[in-house]
Amino acid sequence: MTDPSLAFPGATAVTGLDVYDWSGPDGEPGGSAHVHLLCTEAYIVVSGSGRLQTLGSAGFTETPLAPADVVWFTPGTIHRLVNEDGLKILVVMQNAGLPEAGDAVLTFPPEILADRERYAAAASLADERHVYASDEAAARRRKDLAIEGFGELRRRVEEHGPGELDAFYDAAHKLVAPKLEAWESQLSAGAAAVADLAAKRLAALRGGDYSHLGAAAVVADAPSGPKLGMCGRLTTYDGSL
């Protein structure tokens, strides 16, 4: 995380997303289905059109996406983007750095979710030949596996209700459990530090101290990428993390 006084607004992260147009096992083009355990995610549609498919407490839902639309969803919302026509999105993620630290869990079939090593192998885009791979074939396999699991979850939820998601949530929690201590440290140094700084500045202003205004700064950040993400090709900005 950057200096809290120079952090991107709200301790969020911003990413450009060019949604995959690869068809999945169900014939729908788009990205991998997954869930965030700690972070709220927002989509600002830049161009193109598509749909956001979700599974959660309301069951299965679809939200149409068109330019200038804004939609966000809270942790626990299993989501999948469908790209109907050149869908491009600006993604704003809560708790900058935590999503990149493994906050997301893909909707692989249960037998993979139940085995940490199998999950890690299925989620990785690298193999023994490419330590830091940018491998489209691997990204397609990962996406298709996640859509396979998403389809089965959707079927069970539509037949029996949202309670069918409990087993998936339990498996997701077990997968991320070893990371929680590191997440706590990252949250403390990142989003919590930014909020704490705002509170201190407010207290200073109440006392007539506005000295922080003299340290005003402008931060410009160059994009990097594209990188193969869960939902599409990502353009990232290091200063927002």
Side-chain angles (χ1 to χ4, degrees):
M1 184 71 186
T2 59
D3 178 347
S5 67
L6 301 176
F8 192 77
T12 56
V14 61
T15 304
L17 171 60
D18 187 349
V19 181
Y20 293 135
D21 58 4
W22 307 329
S23 291
D26 58 359
E28 297 267 39
S32 307
H34 60 281
V35 69
H36 295 283
L37 279 76
L38 194 62
C39 300
T40 291
E41 182 173 12
Y43 291 157
I44 304 168
V45 182
V46 176
S47 61
S49 62
R51 286 169 282 134
L52 173 66
Q53 295 184 336
T54 61
L55 290 170
S57 58
F60 174 76
T61 63
E62 280 195 320
T63 303
L65 300 174
D69 283 349
V70 177
V71 60
W72 62 90
F73 41 89
T74 58
T77 304
I78 301 166
H79 53 286
R80 178 257 188 118
L81 282 167
V82 177
N83 183 357
E84 294 177 341
D85 182 21
L87 185 60
K88 297 181 185 294
I89 288 172
L90 186 67
V91 180
V92 179
M93 285 294 311
Q94 185 186 21
N95 302 323
L98 281 182
E100 294 76 17
D103 167 60
V105 173
L106 291 147
T107 56
F108 293 151
E111 64 273 15
I112 296 176
L113 291 170
D115 185 319
R116 186 171 286 111
E117 290 187 4
R118 288 187 68 187
Y119 178 87
S124 174
L125 299 190
D127 59 25
E128 64 275 9
R129 295 167 301 165
H130 302 94
V131 178
Y132 301 107
S134 191
D135 185 337
E136 283 199 2
R140 284 176 180 257
R141 288 194 298 272
R142 179 175 71 178
K143 177 189 68 68
D144 287 351
L145 196 60
I147 296 306
E148 178 186 335
F150 178 82
E152 178 58 22
L153 277 174
R154 175 181 172 179
R155 183 190 66 77
R156 295 204 306 266
V157 167
E158 289 182 326
E159 289 183 4
H160 306 292
E164 290 294 309
L165 298 176
D166 289 349
F168 172 77
Y169 290 147
D170 183 65
H173 174 258
K174 288 176 180 175
L175 282 171
V176 304
K179 305 175 183 179
L180 298 182
E181 187 172 346
W183 287 3
E184 188 172 358
S185 297
Q186 190 152 5
L187 185 65
S188 178
V194 172
D196 183 60
L197 179 60
K200 289 177 179 176
R201 285 173 170 172
L202 176 57
L205 288 170
R206 284 181 176 273
D209 178 4
Y210 49 87
S211 58
H212 67 276
L213 301 180
V218 175
V219 180
D221 194 8
S224 61
K227 305 170 184 175
L228 295 175
M230 292 184 180
C231 295
R233 293 175 177 84
L234 306 178
T235 300
T236 59
Y237 298 85
D238 293 340
S240 71
L241 299 180

